[in-house]
Amino acid sequence: MSDFLPAEKALGMYKKMYEIRKYEESIYYLFLEGIMPGTIHQSTGEEASAVGMLYDLRKDDWMASTHRPAGHDLAKGISVKAMMCEMFGKADGCCGGKGGAMHTGDASVGAMTANAIVGGNLPIAAGVALAFKMQKKDNVVVCFFGDGASNEGSYHETMNAAGLWKLPVIYVCENNMYSANTSISLTCCQENVAADRAAI
Ligand SMILES: Cc1ncc(C[n+]2csc(CCOP(=O)(O)OP(=O)(O)O)c2C)c(N)n1
Ligand SMILES: [Mg+2]
């Protein structure tokens, strides 16, 4: 790693990944002990894709997350306090306590409110990218999705439009080989989403 990154930056990225892991561990226990209301969808083990993709983004670049938004949101710049308050329905939460675990976000740091509809964030991210392009801004949108989302119609429609219009959007597949708890072998005709599905 140090061959490619200055030590200080590598450490900063590692600290952010550690923060995400510790935050999600805390949420896990608070939820299981019945202290935290609502529900949880965790992204344990996916900290690196969040931080790797978002660390160098500007505040006015945008990020679109999924039903597992905590790591993405922390990496884009929402504070642990604002995330935690959101989990407990507090006014200091990033969405005033009205969103909960699957609908976190904060426009002031470019974190689009997370979308729990699988594949639902893909066309919205393309729309934001189209706006950037029409306004001649040099911003970019990063949009995360899962291997399961690549089976949705919205995925195929959006990839076509984004490719056709050359939109400033980066789609990042976090392929954990499961659609929640169903193996990719039962859901997808292609195992290598990045290589086979991306080549539309
Ligand atoms: C349109 C839609 N269909 C079904 C669901 C229920 N659902 C929630 S998570 C999930 C699996 C998504 O798989 P993937 O995109 O690979 O994300 P992962 O859970 O692996 O992070 C499903 C089917 C949903 N939220 N939205
Ligand atoms: Mg998956």
Side-chain angles (χ1 to χ4, degrees), residues 52-83:
M53 285 309 305
L54 301 174
Y55 199 79
D56 283 329
L57 249 58
R58 301 190 327 225
K59 240 185 188 177
D60 57 351
D61 293 325
W62 279 77
M63 179 280 295
S65 185
T66 66
H67 56 292
R68 303 186 192 281
H72 303 151
D73 282 329
L74 289 167
K76 190 66 178 71
I78 301 181
S79 71
V80 168
K81 183 183 173 198
M83 289 290 287

PDB file of all heavy atoms in Angstrom, residues 52-83:
ATOM      1  N   GLY A  52     -12.339   3.462   0.005  1.00  0.00           N
ATOM      2  CA  GLY A  52     -11.528   3.558  -1.212  1.00  0.00           C
ATOM      3  C   GLY A  52     -12.185   4.416  -2.273  1.00  0.00           C
ATOM      4  O   GLY A  52     -11.528   5.192  -2.962  1.00  0.00           O
ATOM      5  N   MET A  53     -13.506   4.285  -2.402  1.00  0.00           N
ATOM      6  CA  MET A  53     -14.213   5.046  -3.435  1.00  0.00           C
ATOM      7  C   MET A  53     -14.460   6.497  -3.036  1.00  0.00           C
ATOM      8  O   MET A  53     -14.519   7.375  -3.892  1.00  0.00           O
ATOM      9  CB  MET A  53     -15.571   4.404  -3.745  1.00  0.00           C
ATOM     10  CG  MET A  53     -15.505   3.143  -4.566  1.00  0.00           C
ATOM     11  SD  MET A  53     -14.529   3.270  -6.090  1.00  0.00           S
ATOM     12  CE  MET A  53     -15.298   4.653  -6.922  1.00  0.00           C
ATOM     13  N   LEU A  54     -14.637   6.741  -1.743  1.00  0.00           N
ATOM     14  CA  LEU A  54     -15.144   8.055  -1.341  1.00  0.00           C
ATOM     15  C   LEU A  54     -14.108   8.986  -0.718  1.00  0.00           C
ATOM     16  O   LEU A  54     -14.357  10.174  -0.566  1.00  0.00           O
ATOM     17  CB  LEU A  54     -16.322   7.879  -0.375  1.00  0.00           C
ATOM     18  CG  LEU A  54     -17.510   7.081  -0.951  1.00  0.00           C
ATOM     19  CD1 LEU A  54     -18.564   6.831   0.118  1.00  0.00           C
ATOM     20  CD2 LEU A  54     -18.129   7.822  -2.142  1.00  0.00           C
ATOM     21  N   TYR A  55     -12.967   8.441  -0.340  1.00  0.00           N
ATOM     22  CA  TYR A  55     -11.996   9.235   0.425  1.00  0.00           C
ATOM     23  C   TYR A  55     -11.572  10.511  -0.306  1.00  0.00           C
ATOM     24  O   TYR A  55     -11.409  11.561   0.303  1.00  0.00           O
ATOM     25  CB  TYR A  55     -10.772   8.378   0.741  1.00  0.00           C
ATOM     26  CG  TYR A  55      -9.938   8.921   1.874  1.00  0.00           C
ATOM     27  CD1 TYR A  55     -10.325   8.723   3.196  1.00  0.00           C
ATOM     28  CD2 TYR A  55      -8.765   9.634   1.632  1.00  0.00           C
ATOM     29  CE1 TYR A  55      -9.571   9.211   4.244  1.00  0.00           C
ATOM     30  CE2 TYR A  55      -8.000  10.130   2.677  1.00  0.00           C
ATOM     31  CZ  TYR A  55      -8.415   9.911   3.984  1.00  0.00           C
ATOM     32  OH  TYR A  55      -7.659  10.402   5.026  1.00  0.00           O
ATOM     33  N   ASP A  56     -11.385  10.431  -1.603  1.00  0.00           N
ATOM     34  CA  ASP A  56     -10.884  11.588  -2.357  1.00  0.00           C
ATOM     35  C   ASP A  56     -11.984  12.424  -2.994  1.00  0.00           C
ATOM     36  O   ASP A  56     -11.689  13.394  -3.697  1.00  0.00           O
ATOM     37  CB  ASP A  56      -9.923  11.118  -3.453  1.00  0.00           C
ATOM     38  CG  ASP A  56      -8.564  10.775  -2.878  1.00  0.00           C
ATOM     39  OD1 ASP A  56      -8.171  11.396  -1.868  1.00  0.00           O
ATOM     40  OD2 ASP A  56      -7.900   9.879  -3.422  1.00  0.00           O
ATOM     41  N   LEU A  57     -13.234  12.053  -2.757  1.00  0.00           N
ATOM     42  CA  LEU A  57     -14.316  12.842  -3.350  1.00  0.00           C
ATOM     43  C   LEU A  57     -14.422  14.203  -2.684  1.00  0.00           C
ATOM     44  O   LEU A  57     -14.049  14.368  -1.527  1.00  0.00           O
ATOM     45  CB  LEU A  57     -15.648  12.094  -3.194  1.00  0.00           C
ATOM     46  CG  LEU A  57     -16.255  11.549  -4.501  1.00  0.00           C
ATOM     47  CD1 LEU A  57     -15.295  10.614  -5.193  1.00  0.00           C
ATOM     48  CD2 LEU A  57     -17.570  10.840  -4.222  1.00  0.00           C
ATOM     49  N   ARG A  58     -14.955  15.168  -3.448  1.00  0.00           N
ATOM     50  CA  ARG A  58     -15.206  16.476  -2.857  1.00  0.00           C
ATOM     51  C   ARG A  58     -16.573  16.461  -2.188  1.00  0.00           C
ATOM     52  O   ARG A  58     -17.408  15.610  -2.487  1.00  0.00           O
ATOM     53  CB  ARG A  58     -15.170  17.548  -3.945  1.00  0.00           C
ATOM     54  CG  ARG A  58     -13.847  17.589  -4.669  1.00  0.00           C
ATOM     55  CD  ARG A  58     -13.677  18.798  -5.584  1.00  0.00           C
ATOM     56  NE  ARG A  58     -14.863  19.305  -6.221  1.00  0.00           N
ATOM     57  CZ  ARG A  58     -14.929  19.645  -7.516  1.00  0.00           C
ATOM     58  NH1 ARG A  58     -13.883  19.489  -8.309  1.00  0.00           N
ATOM     59  NH2 ARG A  58     -16.037  20.151  -8.023  1.00  0.00           N
ATOM     60  N   LYS A  59     -16.781  17.457  -1.316  1.00  0.00           N
ATOM     61  CA  LYS A  59     -18.064  17.551  -0.615  1.00  0.00           C
ATOM     62  C   LYS A  59     -19.219  17.724  -1.596  1.00  0.00           C
ATOM     63  O   LYS A  59     -20.321  17.226  -1.402  1.00  0.00           O
ATOM     64  CB  LYS A  59     -18.046  18.748   0.343  1.00  0.00           C
ATOM     65  CG  LYS A  59     -18.253  18.359   1.783  1.00  0.00           C
ATOM     66  CD  LYS A  59     -18.342  19.619   2.635  1.00  0.00           C
ATOM     67  CE  LYS A  59     -18.340  19.256   4.098  1.00  0.00           C
ATOM     68  NZ  LYS A  59     -18.342  20.411   4.960  1.00  0.00           N
ATOM     69  N   ASP A  60     -18.958  18.462  -2.680  1.00  0.00           N
ATOM     70  CA  ASP A  60     -20.035  18.724  -3.627  1.00  0.00           C
ATOM     71  C   ASP A  60     -20.145  17.655  -4.711  1.00  0.00           C
ATOM     72  O   ASP A  60     -20.951  17.774  -5.629  1.00  0.00           O
ATOM     73  CB  ASP A  60     -19.911  20.132  -4.247  1.00  0.00           C
ATOM     74  CG  ASP A  60     -18.585  20.359  -4.951  1.00  0.00           C
ATOM     75  OD1 ASP A  60     -17.686  19.505  -4.831  1.00  0.00           O
ATOM     76  OD2 ASP A  60     -18.448  21.390  -5.636  1.00  0.00           O
ATOM     77  N   ASP A  61     -19.338  16.593  -4.630  1.00  0.00           N
ATOM     78  CA  ASP A  61     -19.619  15.386  -5.406  1.00  0.00           C
ATOM     79  C   ASP A  61     -20.691  14.628  -4.632  1.00  0.00           C
ATOM     80  O   ASP A  61     -20.803  14.784  -3.411  1.00  0.00           O
ATOM     81  CB  ASP A  61     -18.364  14.511  -5.526  1.00  0.00           C
ATOM     82  CG  ASP A  61     -17.268  15.164  -6.366  1.00  0.00           C
ATOM     83  OD1 ASP A  61     -17.603  15.855  -7.339  1.00  0.00           O
ATOM     84  OD2 ASP A  61     -16.083  14.963  -6.031  1.00  0.00           O
ATOM     85  N   TRP A  62     -21.418  13.770  -5.333  1.00  0.00           N
ATOM     86  CA  TRP A  62     -22.498  13.073  -4.653  1.00  0.00           C
ATOM     87  C   TRP A  62     -22.263  11.575  -4.546  1.00  0.00           C
ATOM     88  O   TRP A  62     -21.519  10.996  -5.343  1.00  0.00           O
ATOM     89  CB  TRP A  62     -23.836  13.338  -5.369  1.00  0.00           C
ATOM     90  CG  TRP A  62     -24.404  14.660  -4.967  1.00  0.00           C
ATOM     91  CD1 TRP A  62     -23.999  15.886  -5.404  1.00  0.00           C
ATOM     92  CD2 TRP A  62     -25.455  14.894  -4.019  1.00  0.00           C
ATOM     93  NE1 TRP A  62     -24.740  16.875  -4.786  1.00  0.00           N
ATOM     94  CE2 TRP A  62     -25.639  16.302  -3.944  1.00  0.00           C
ATOM     95  CE3 TRP A  62     -26.266  14.061  -3.247  1.00  0.00           C
ATOM     96  CZ2 TRP A  62     -26.590  16.879  -3.114  1.00  0.00           C
ATOM     97  CZ3 TRP A  62     -27.205  14.637  -2.427  1.00  0.00           C
ATOM     98  CH2 TRP A  62     -27.365  16.032  -2.356  1.00  0.00           C
ATOM     99  N   MET A  63     -22.908  10.987  -3.566  1.00  0.00           N
ATOM    100  CA  MET A  63     -22.809   9.550  -3.346  1.00  0.00           C
ATOM    101  C   MET A  63     -24.221   8.999  -3.140  1.00  0.00           C
ATOM    102  O   MET A  63     -25.030   9.612  -2.433  1.00  0.00           O
ATOM    103  CB  MET A  63     -21.944   9.294  -2.102  1.00  0.00           C
ATOM    104  CG  MET A  63     -21.759   7.847  -1.717  1.00  0.00           C
ATOM    105  SD  MET A  63     -23.148   7.117  -0.825  1.00  0.00           S
ATOM    106  CE  MET A  63     -23.167   8.022   0.688  1.00  0.00           C
ATOM    107  N   ALA A  64     -24.506   7.888  -3.788  1.00  0.00           N
ATOM    108  CA  ALA A  64     -25.822   7.260  -3.642  1.00  0.00           C
ATOM    109  C   ALA A  64     -25.642   5.864  -3.059  1.00  0.00           C
ATOM    110  O   ALA A  64     -24.928   5.033  -3.624  1.00  0.00           O
ATOM    111  CB  ALA A  64     -26.520   7.185  -5.005  1.00  0.00           C
ATOM    112  N   SER A  65     -26.306   5.614  -1.934  1.00  0.00           N
ATOM    113  CA  SER A  65     -26.103   4.353  -1.223  1.00  0.00           C
ATOM    114  C   SER A  65     -27.319   3.431  -1.335  1.00  0.00           C
ATOM    115  O   SER A  65     -28.290   3.718  -2.038  1.00  0.00           O
ATOM    116  CB  SER A  65     -25.765   4.643   0.246  1.00  0.00           C
ATOM    117  OG  SER A  65     -25.447   3.446   0.914  1.00  0.00           O
ATOM    118  N   THR A  66     -27.202   2.330  -0.627  1.00  0.00           N
ATOM    119  CA  THR A  66     -28.165   1.225  -0.723  1.00  0.00           C
ATOM    120  C   THR A  66     -28.869   1.001   0.622  1.00  0.00           C
ATOM    121  O   THR A  66     -28.891   1.889   1.472  1.00  0.00           O
ATOM    122  CB  THR A  66     -27.417  -0.061  -1.084  1.00  0.00           C
ATOM    123  OG1 THR A  66     -26.559  -0.399   0.032  1.00  0.00           O
ATOM    124  CG2 THR A  66     -26.570   0.116  -2.331  1.00  0.00           C
ATOM    125  N   HIS A  67     -29.370  -0.233   0.810  1.00  0.00           N
ATOM    126  CA  HIS A  67     -29.978  -0.587   2.092  1.00  0.00           C
ATOM    127  C   HIS A  67     -28.912  -0.856   3.165  1.00  0.00           C
ATOM    128  O   HIS A  67     -29.257  -1.174   4.293  1.00  0.00           O
ATOM    129  CB  HIS A  67     -30.880  -1.821   1.928  1.00  0.00           C
ATOM    130  CG  HIS A  67     -30.162  -3.004   1.343  1.00  0.00           C
ATOM    131  ND1 HIS A  67     -29.707  -3.026   0.046  1.00  0.00           N
ATOM    132  CD2 HIS A  67     -29.812  -4.191   1.886  1.00  0.00           C
ATOM    133  CE1 HIS A  67     -29.127  -4.185  -0.195  1.00  0.00           C
ATOM    134  NE2 HIS A  67     -29.168  -4.904   0.911  1.00  0.00           N
ATOM    135  N   ARG A  68     -27.625  -0.748   2.797  1.00  0.00           N
ATOM    136  CA  ARG A  68     -26.534  -0.879   3.792  1.00  0.00           C
ATOM    137  C   ARG A  68     -25.703   0.407   3.769  1.00  0.00           C
ATOM    138  O   ARG A  68     -24.553   0.420   3.320  1.00  0.00           O
ATOM    139  CB  ARG A  68     -25.623  -2.069   3.445  1.00  0.00           C
ATOM    140  CG  ARG A  68     -26.348  -3.393   3.331  1.00  0.00           C
ATOM    141  CD  ARG A  68     -25.394  -4.552   3.127  1.00  0.00           C
ATOM    142  NE  ARG A  68     -26.120  -5.731   2.747  1.00  0.00           N
ATOM    143  CZ  ARG A  68     -26.785  -6.528   3.579  1.00  0.00           C
ATOM    144  NH1 ARG A  68     -26.781  -6.269   4.870  1.00  0.00           N
ATOM    145  NH2 ARG A  68     -27.431  -7.592   3.140  1.00  0.00           N
ATOM    146  N   PRO A  69     -26.272   1.503   4.230  1.00  0.00           N
ATOM    147  CA  PRO A  69     -25.634   2.801   3.960  1.00  0.00           C
ATOM    148  C   PRO A  69     -24.597   3.299   4.965  1.00  0.00           C
ATOM    149  O   PRO A  69     -23.908   4.277   4.675  1.00  0.00           O
ATOM    150  CB  PRO A  69     -26.834   3.758   3.944  1.00  0.00           C
ATOM    151  CG  PRO A  69     -27.803   3.163   4.912  1.00  0.00           C
ATOM    152  CD  PRO A  69     -27.601   1.672   4.851  1.00  0.00           C
ATOM    153  N   ALA A  70     -24.483   2.660   6.120  1.00  0.00           N
ATOM    154  CA  ALA A  70     -23.694   3.294   7.198  1.00  0.00           C
ATOM    155  C   ALA A  70     -22.250   3.569   6.785  1.00  0.00           C
ATOM    156  O   ALA A  70     -21.742   4.680   6.994  1.00  0.00           O
ATOM    157  CB  ALA A  70     -23.731   2.426   8.453  1.00  0.00           C
ATOM    158  N   GLY A  71     -21.587   2.580   6.213  1.00  0.00           N
ATOM    159  CA  GLY A  71     -20.184   2.770   5.823  1.00  0.00           C
ATOM    160  C   GLY A  71     -20.041   3.848   4.771  1.00  0.00           C
ATOM    161  O   GLY A  71     -19.132   4.690   4.833  1.00  0.00           O
ATOM    162  N   HIS A  72     -20.933   3.828   3.794  1.00  0.00           N
ATOM    163  CA  HIS A  72     -20.879   4.840   2.726  1.00  0.00           C
ATOM    164  C   HIS A  72     -21.072   6.240   3.316  1.00  0.00           C
ATOM    165  O   HIS A  72     -20.367   7.183   2.951  1.00  0.00           O
ATOM    166  CB  HIS A  72     -21.982   4.579   1.690  1.00  0.00           C
ATOM    167  CG  HIS A  72     -21.933   3.209   1.067  1.00  0.00           C
ATOM    168  ND1 HIS A  72     -23.052   2.552   0.609  1.00  0.00           N
ATOM    169  CD2 HIS A  72     -20.891   2.368   0.838  1.00  0.00           C
ATOM    170  CE1 HIS A  72     -22.700   1.379   0.107  1.00  0.00           C
ATOM    171  NE2 HIS A  72     -21.404   1.237   0.242  1.00  0.00           N
ATOM    172  N   ASP A  73     -22.043   6.355   4.208  1.00  0.00           N
ATOM    173  CA  ASP A  73     -22.351   7.681   4.766  1.00  0.00           C
ATOM    174  C   ASP A  73     -21.213   8.209   5.632  1.00  0.00           C
ATOM    175  O   ASP A  73     -20.856   9.391   5.555  1.00  0.00           O
ATOM    176  CB  ASP A  73     -23.638   7.613   5.584  1.00  0.00           C
ATOM    177  CG  ASP A  73     -24.871   7.609   4.691  1.00  0.00           C
ATOM    178  OD1 ASP A  73     -24.824   8.203   3.605  1.00  0.00           O
ATOM    179  OD2 ASP A  73     -25.880   6.998   5.083  1.00  0.00           O
ATOM    180  N   LEU A  74     -20.640   7.332   6.460  1.00  0.00           N
ATOM    181  CA  LEU A  74     -19.518   7.778   7.299  1.00  0.00           C
ATOM    182  C   LEU A  74     -18.329   8.153   6.415  1.00  0.00           C
ATOM    183  O   LEU A  74     -17.645   9.148   6.668  1.00  0.00           O
ATOM    184  CB  LEU A  74     -19.131   6.674   8.298  1.00  0.00           C
ATOM    185  CG  LEU A  74     -20.152   6.436   9.423  1.00  0.00           C
ATOM    186  CD1 LEU A  74     -19.849   5.124  10.157  1.00  0.00           C
ATOM    187  CD2 LEU A  74     -20.169   7.602  10.414  1.00  0.00           C
ATOM    188  N   ALA A  75     -18.102   7.377   5.365  1.00  0.00           N
ATOM    189  CA  ALA A  75     -16.970   7.664   4.475  1.00  0.00           C
ATOM    190  C   ALA A  75     -17.195   8.959   3.696  1.00  0.00           C
ATOM    191  O   ALA A  75     -16.241   9.641   3.334  1.00  0.00           O
ATOM    192  CB  ALA A  75     -16.744   6.497   3.513  1.00  0.00           C
ATOM    193  N   LYS A  76     -18.452   9.310   3.428  1.00  0.00           N
ATOM    194  CA  LYS A  76     -18.730  10.543   2.665  1.00  0.00           C
ATOM    195  C   LYS A  76     -18.706  11.773   3.565  1.00  0.00           C
ATOM    196  O   LYS A  76     -18.685  12.895   3.086  1.00  0.00           O
ATOM    197  CB  LYS A  76     -20.086  10.437   1.940  1.00  0.00           C
ATOM    198  CG  LYS A  76     -20.350  11.563   0.938  1.00  0.00           C
ATOM    199  CD  LYS A  76     -19.389  11.541  -0.244  1.00  0.00           C
ATOM    200  CE  LYS A  76     -19.627  12.613  -1.287  1.00  0.00           C
ATOM    201  NZ  LYS A  76     -19.301  13.967  -0.912  1.00  0.00           N
ATOM    202  N   GLY A  77     -18.743  11.548   4.892  1.00  0.00           N
ATOM    203  CA  GLY A  77     -18.556  12.701   5.767  1.00  0.00           C
ATOM    204  C   GLY A  77     -19.632  12.958   6.810  1.00  0.00           C
ATOM    205  O   GLY A  77     -19.576  13.953   7.522  1.00  0.00           O
ATOM    206  N   ILE A  78     -20.618  12.079   6.894  1.00  0.00           N
ATOM    207  CA  ILE A  78     -21.592  12.239   7.986  1.00  0.00           C
ATOM    208  C   ILE A  78     -20.911  11.792   9.280  1.00  0.00           C
ATOM    209  O   ILE A  78     -20.182  10.795   9.294  1.00  0.00           O
ATOM    210  CB  ILE A  78     -22.870  11.409   7.724  1.00  0.00           C
ATOM    211  CG1 ILE A  78     -23.521  11.843   6.403  1.00  0.00           C
ATOM    212  CG2 ILE A  78     -23.857  11.559   8.869  1.00  0.00           C
ATOM    213  CD1 ILE A  78     -24.804  11.094   6.049  1.00  0.00           C
ATOM    214  N   SER A  79     -21.145  12.524  10.368  1.00  0.00           N
ATOM    215  CA  SER A  79     -20.445  12.197  11.614  1.00  0.00           C
ATOM    216  C   SER A  79     -21.085  10.995  12.302  1.00  0.00           C
ATOM    217  O   SER A  79     -22.270  10.695  12.087  1.00  0.00           O
ATOM    218  CB  SER A  79     -20.470  13.400  12.565  1.00  0.00           C
ATOM    219  OG  SER A  79     -21.786  13.588  13.060  1.00  0.00           O
ATOM    220  N   VAL A  80     -20.296  10.345  13.141  1.00  0.00           N
ATOM    221  CA  VAL A  80     -20.802   9.211  13.934  1.00  0.00           C
ATOM    222  C   VAL A  80     -21.980   9.686  14.787  1.00  0.00           C
ATOM    223  O   VAL A  80     -22.994   9.000  14.910  1.00  0.00           O
ATOM    224  CB  VAL A  80     -19.687   8.627  14.823  1.00  0.00           C
ATOM    225  CG1 VAL A  80     -20.254   7.656  15.847  1.00  0.00           C
ATOM    226  CG2 VAL A  80     -18.635   7.939  13.967  1.00  0.00           C
ATOM    227  N   LYS A  81     -21.843  10.891  15.346  1.00  0.00           N
ATOM    228  CA  LYS A  81     -22.922  11.394  16.214  1.00  0.00           C
ATOM    229  C   LYS A  81     -24.222  11.557  15.426  1.00  0.00           C
ATOM    230  O   LYS A  81     -25.288  11.138  15.878  1.00  0.00           O
ATOM    231  CB  LYS A  81     -22.508  12.739  16.831  1.00  0.00           C
ATOM    232  CG  LYS A  81     -23.554  13.261  17.781  1.00  0.00           C
ATOM    233  CD  LYS A  81     -23.217  14.614  18.366  1.00  0.00           C
ATOM    234  CE  LYS A  81     -24.434  15.101  19.166  1.00  0.00           C
ATOM    235  NZ  LYS A  81     -24.405  16.516  19.433  1.00  0.00           N
ATOM    236  N   ALA A  82     -24.127  12.161  14.241  1.00  0.00           N
ATOM    237  CA  ALA A  82     -25.342  12.373  13.443  1.00  0.00           C
ATOM    238  C   ALA A  82     -25.965  11.048  13.014  1.00  0.00           C
ATOM    239  O   ALA A  82     -27.192  10.917  12.931  1.00  0.00           O
ATOM    240  CB  ALA A  82     -25.020  13.226  12.223  1.00  0.00           C
ATOM    241  N   MET A  83     -25.112  10.047  12.746  1.00  0.00           N
ATOM    242  CA  MET A  83     -25.625   8.717  12.369  1.00  0.00           C
ATOM    243  C   MET A  83     -26.291   8.057  13.574  1.00  0.00           C
ATOM    244  O   MET A  83     -27.400   7.518  13.485  1.00  0.00           O
ATOM    245  CB  MET A  83     -24.476   7.832  11.867  1.00  0.00           C
ATOM    246  CG  MET A  83     -23.928   8.245  10.517  1.00  0.00           C
ATOM    247  SD  MET A  83     -25.076   7.942   9.147  1.00  0.00           S
ATOM    248  CE  MET A  83     -24.982   6.168   9.016  1.00  0.00           C
TER     249      MET A  83
END
